[in-house]
Amino acid sequence: MDAVQGGTIMTEGPAVDTTVTLMPTTAAGAGVWHTGTVRSWTAGVAGLVVTSHVATTRATVEELDGQRVWVSTDPGDGSAVTPHAVFQAIAQAHRDDELALTGVMLLASETRRGAVRAPASLPAHLTTTEGVADVRTVDYSRTGMRIEGAADVPGGADVEVALELADGREVHARGEVLRVDEESGEAVVRFVELEEGAAEALERSVLTELARQNQG
């Protein structure tokens, strides 16, 4: 899919004006998020090496110039067919309100999902009206998780979730059990409401886990 939108060539990527999140990969940048919008997107033959120009504020350009960043595109409302792209890139000032981002694609998520998901076994506790269930994740994202050991968790239940991330931080959310497979004991939980800062912590954790797996 190659198209020209607004005079800018797009190659196998998100449309012009798609929102992107930029996050420094360094520990010093933990919790620091910036946003911008796609002005152009080009990819190599295999779609792995990506160069994108992103419009953002002057302050963001100054702060991120020369840094390695995570780039995550907004998947929209979940009904769009635009790919959700995630990659690490070197950010360089192209203009005072634009960054040039060059990096290697880590993942293009399924368009049916609203967030990038990482396979990982993390401890979680689900509190229902019937008590507390200790489970482990099969995979997780900032919008939900698939868990094992949940055969006794009722489908459709509202749950309070405490999820321990790999860095030791525990995040809390109110969730809904979408479905339970009684045979495998796996269940899918959608996060309905997250505590402040949890979405950012979850996305950073997911990206870090994917990068670790990609390297190993």
Side-chain angles (χ1 to χ4, degrees):
M1 176 183 68
D2 291 351
V4 177
Q5 304 183 31
T8 304
I9 297 176
M10 304 299 293
T11 306
E12 292 293 341
V16 169
D17 293 333
T18 296
T19 299
V20 295
T21 299
L22 308 172
M23 179 182 67
T25 63
T26 62
V32 179
W33 292 72
H34 304 265
T35 59
T37 56
V38 172
R39 280 185 171 164
S40 68
W41 180 285
T42 57
V45 176
L48 297 178
V49 179
V50 173
T51 299
S52 179
H53 285 202
V54 171
T56 187
T57 66
R58 294 188 180 190
T60 293
V61 171
E62 291 176 0
E63 185 166 343
L64 297 184
D65 184 24
Q67 288 202 48
R68 184 175 294 276
V69 297
W70 282 111
V71 184
S72 178
T73 64
D74 185 353
D77 61 8
S79 62
V81 295
T82 302
H84 179 194
V86 175
F87 65 105
Q88 276 195 36
I90 297 295
Q92 294 180 311
H94 182 65
R95 298 196 315 211
D96 59 4
D97 64 347
E98 181 176 299
L99 284 167
L101 307 169
T102 303
V104 177
M105 183 68 69
L106 178 64
L107 174 70
S109 83
E110 298 177 42
T111 57
R112 292 172 296 174
R113 289 177 168 171
V116 176
R117 188 171 295 261
S121 179
L122 302 173
H125 311 286
L126 305 183
T127 302
T128 69
T129 56
E130 300 180 5
V132 179
D134 295 327
V135 298
R136 297 193 73 87
T137 62
V138 177
D139 56 43
Y140 71 112
S141 74
R142 60 182 169 85
T143 61
M145 60 186 185
R146 184 159 56 104
I147 55 176
E148 57 186 0
D152 296 329
V153 176
D158 293 328
V159 294
E160 296 296 327
V161 178
L163 173 62
E164 185 178 328
L165 303 180
D167 62 3
R169 173 171 177 172
E170 188 173 84
V171 296
H172 299 87
R174 184 168 59 86
E176 176 188 5
V177 181
L178 298 183
R179 59 183 180 273
V180 179
D181 186 327
E182 295 182 1
E183 183 175 340
S184 67
E186 290 189 358
V188 174
V189 177
R190 178 174 67 91
F191 298 147
V192 176
E193 183 178 354
L194 292 162
E195 67 180 355
E196 184 177 357
E200 290 85 355
L202 283 164
E203 182 120 328
R204 176 178 286 276
S205 177
V206 166
L207 295 178
T208 300
E209 181 62 30
L210 287 172
R212 184 188 67 78
Q213 294 175 15
N214 193 55
Q215 292 170 354

